[in-house]
Amino acid sequence: MRRFIRENSLTLAFGLAFLLALVGQALAGWADFDNQLATDGLQQVGFLAYLASSDFAVDVAENWQSEYLQFFLFISATVWLVQRGSPESKELHKAGTESDAEQKAGRHADARSPHWAGVAGWRGGVYSRSLGIVMALFFLLSWLAQSIAGTAAYDERQLRALQDPIAWHQYVASADFWSRTLQNWQSEFLAVASMAILSVYLRQRGSPESKPVGAPHDATGVEG
């Protein structure tokens, strides 16, 4: 068990942090939601009712979709785009999908390679892009969930104000939907751009997201 925890500590630590943050968000969101209901003179709801509400769902989904968009775009963009001196970039001369020999794909797969890495045809092609595909799928599903939950939450506010609700396609074209969406996107893009350029000149000793402390600023694709 200790060996399992040590060898998977990064995933386990962030998985636990995610759960704790989600619980914290739920508790804080519930308190805020009930305060709004009290202000409007409406009956407050219990914690489980809040967890099943569209308000909680849209707050969670809008953050998930922006995170998965960030990873999908970063994974895909770094195939072709490079940043001189950044450990977040591949070496400048390796821009592109690289050869089968470099990727140990197809007939170049060895005994320890995943089975589909050595398979020709569509299965090998899908597996060679499976990380980006799954991240894109998670993004699209969470964005769809955001739009559906956002429509319900928006219509609930409309009804409280004695105004007509709107349909899903109207909400997707609304300022509320795009304000929620773009405020998350811009922060994700800024974070990626900052990480790419700051890691050229700054160091974090022992981190694979940083170059070794003594590595020159123009060393590219070198991890500490």
Side-chain angles (χ1 to χ4, degrees), residues 1-217:
M1 178 60 72
R2 288 183 179 179
R3 180 179 177 182
F4 174 81
I5 293 175
R6 181 176 61 82
E7 292 181 350
N8 297 276
S9 57
L10 185 61
T11 299
L12 292 174
F14 275 91
L16 178 60
F18 159 72
L19 293 176
L20 292 174
L22 186 62
V23 170
Q25 176 190 352
L27 292 171
W30 174 42
D32 183 59
F33 186 69
D34 271 357
N35 287 338
Q36 292 178 16
L37 291 177
T39 300
D40 295 339
L42 300 173
Q43 183 178 359
Q44 295 178 320
V45 301
F47 181 64
L48 293 180
Y50 174 70
L51 290 182
S53 71
S54 56
D55 284 79
F56 178 66
V58 69
D59 287 343
V60 171
E62 74 178 48
N63 285 288
W64 288 10
Q65 60 88 4
S66 64
E67 296 295 339
Y68 282 116
L69 175 65
Q70 177 198 119
F71 283 113
F72 164 66
L73 291 180
F74 189 67
I75 290 166
S76 301
T78 50
V79 174
W80 298 98
L81 304 181
V82 295
Q83 173 59 57
R84 182 181 179 88
S86 176
E88 300 295 322
S89 167
K90 63 169 64 178
E91 296 177 64
L92 304 182
H93 66 280
K94 291 186 177 181
T97 56
E98 303 178 11
S99 66
D100 283 353
E102 291 173 309
Q103 289 288 311
K104 293 187 177 181
R107 63 186 179 86
H108 298 281
D110 58 33
R112 298 189 63 197
S113 298
H115 174 67
W116 276 29
V119 176
W122 69 269
R123 289 185 298 170
V126 168
Y127 184 73
S128 68
R129 295 166 177 81
S130 56
L131 182 59
I133 291 171
V134 170
M135 289 295 180
L137 182 60
F138 284 168
F139 160 65
L140 292 173
L141 290 176
S142 54
W143 201 19
L144 176 62
Q146 176 198 341
S147 69
I148 294 172
T151 303
Y154 183 83
D155 282 350
E156 185 176 339
R157 294 194 298 270
Q158 289 288 95
L159 292 172
R160 288 182 199 167
L162 302 180
Q163 297 180 356
D164 293 333
I166 63 175
W168 175 80
H169 70 277
Q170 293 174 304
Y171 178 71
V172 170
S174 71
D176 184 83
F177 175 74
W178 283 104
S179 175
R180 282 179 170 271
T181 297
L182 292 173
Q183 71 176 337
N184 285 287
W185 286 8
Q186 55 87 13
S187 63
E188 302 297 343
F189 298 154
L190 175 63
V192 171
S194 299
M195 184 64 178
I197 191 62
L198 291 177
S199 61
V200 175
Y201 303 103
L202 306 179
R203 307 288 188 268
Q204 182 61 51
R205 187 177 185 127
S207 174
E209 300 304 314
S210 167
K211 293 182 288 190
V213 176
H217 290 326

